[in-house]
Amino acid sequence: MENYFASQRDNIFRNVEVLIYIFDVESREIDKDMHYYQSCLEAILQNSPEAKIFCLVHKMDLVQEDQRDLIFREREEDLKRLSKPLECTCFRTSIWDETLYRELEQSLNQFANIIDADEVLLFERATFLVISHCQRRPHRDVHRFEKVSNIIKQFKLSCSKLAAQFQSMEVRNSNFAAFIDMFTSNTYVMVIMSDPAILPNRNSVNNLVNKVRMTGM
């Protein structure tokens, strides 16, 4: 990228009306980030001095809520100072929609109540990271989501090596029953029950999933 910026500098920054620069609030290379930013500002100053500058401090949802205002103000002060003689306007941003998350959590709670599940987890299909979950019974393993995600990803990898495609999984013993199946085109749902008798077979869960889908949850 540095070579491209150097060789195409005049073409990239000529006649620019707006520069929007995004900073990752969790970046561990702040000095490097600031260096790139100042390089862009120098090019803007030479080629498009009237351009408007906007800086987005991104992933603010990952910062502890009581620290967000302080951290944002500190970053804003640094960026305004480094931007002189140009002026920049700063905004805090996030890809995480908390209202959507709350709505999703409520839907999972309703789903768990319908099927009398101890816990329901919703995974993103490609990465198998937890999007949301509902817990109706305490669990002592706080790292279980990460463990389940890694187990399923390894199992999917094994399936792909055999030219097979992962679709669902059922685990059952005398203490619990767990079932994983596709929920939507982009998600998987995992249902956990402490009474295995409540989960007699895959079709029963599929029917319940379809019922929830039809209700618009």
Side-chain angles (χ1 to χ4, degrees):
M1 187 177 74
E2 289 184 74
N3 292 335
Y4 178 73
F5 264 35
S7 62
Q8 301 293 325
R9 184 184 181 99
D10 292 341
N11 292 331
I12 294 172
F13 293 99
R14 184 182 297 121
N15 298 322
V16 171
E17 295 290 336
V18 176
L19 171 67
I20 301 175
Y21 205 97
I22 301 175
F23 291 90
D24 185 343
V25 74
E26 286 202 313
S27 174
R28 298 181 181 179
E29 299 181 311
I30 296 178
D31 291 340
K32 187 176 181 180
D33 296 340
M34 293 300 185
H35 171 71
Y36 281 135
Y37 175 61
Q38 287 189 298
S39 296
C40 290
L41 290 182
E42 290 173 4
I44 286 289
L45 196 58
Q46 292 173 5
N47 296 279
S48 305
E50 301 300 320
K52 302 293 184 182
I53 312 296
F54 296 94
C55 293
L56 308 184
V57 183
H58 195 44
K59 299 183 182 178
M60 287 296 295
D61 56 291
L62 301 180
V63 178
Q64 291 185 7
E65 191 169 356
D66 60 345
Q67 295 291 314
R68 290 176 188 174
D69 289 341
L70 175 62
I71 290 177
F72 176 72
R73 283 197 302 269
E74 290 177 348
R75 294 293 174 89
E76 184 179 36
E77 290 173 2
D78 289 341
L79 290 170
K80 285 182 177 293
R81 176 175 51 81
L82 292 171
S83 299
K84 292 180 179 179
L86 297 171
E87 293 186 4
C88 75
T89 303
C90 299
F91 296 96
R92 65 184 81 188
T93 59
S94 168
I95 61 172
W96 190 255
D97 188 336
E98 293 181 356
T99 58
L100 177 61
Y101 177 81
R102 286 195 294 269
E103 184 68 27
L104 190 56
E105 199 171 61
Q106 290 176 5
S107 296
L108 290 183
N109 272 299
Q110 294 177 40
F111 185 24
N113 288 330
I114 290 172
I115 62 177
D116 197 22
D118 293 348
E119 193 165 21
V120 178
L121 291 82
L122 195 66
F123 296 93
E124 196 276 325
R125 181 181 179 182
T127 62
F128 242 88
L129 295 175
V130 175
I131 299 173
S132 184
H133 80 285
C134 160
Q135 181 179 336
R136 299 175 67 224
R137 176 174 292 191
H139 199 290
R140 61 187 178 184
D141 188 354
V142 296
H143 302 293
R144 63 192 182 282
F145 299 159
E146 182 180 352
K147 293 176 181 177
V148 170
S149 178
N150 288 332
I151 289 170
I152 299 301
K153 282 189 285 190
Q154 290 299 318
F155 183 71
K156 287 178 65 179
L157 182 61
S158 299
C159 290
S160 63
K161 290 180 179 179
L162 298 173
Q165 189 171 5
F166 174 79
Q167 181 173 344
S168 64
M169 174 184 289
E170 183 175 340
V171 179
R172 186 196 302 268
N173 61 27
S174 59
N175 298 315
F176 76 96
F179 188 86
I180 302 174
D181 200 356
M182 187 177 292
F183 190 61
T184 69
S185 59
N186 296 312
T187 60
Y188 275 86
V189 65
M190 180 176 186
V191 177
I192 302 170
M193 296 178 172
S194 55
D195 184 357
I198 300 178
L199 190 63
N201 55 55
R202 177 182 172 186
N203 289 334
S204 63
V205 175
N206 283 346
N207 290 336
L208 287 167
V209 169
N210 289 331
K211 180 179 179 181
V212 172
R213 287 174 181 162
M214 291 174 66
T215 61
M217 289 172 55

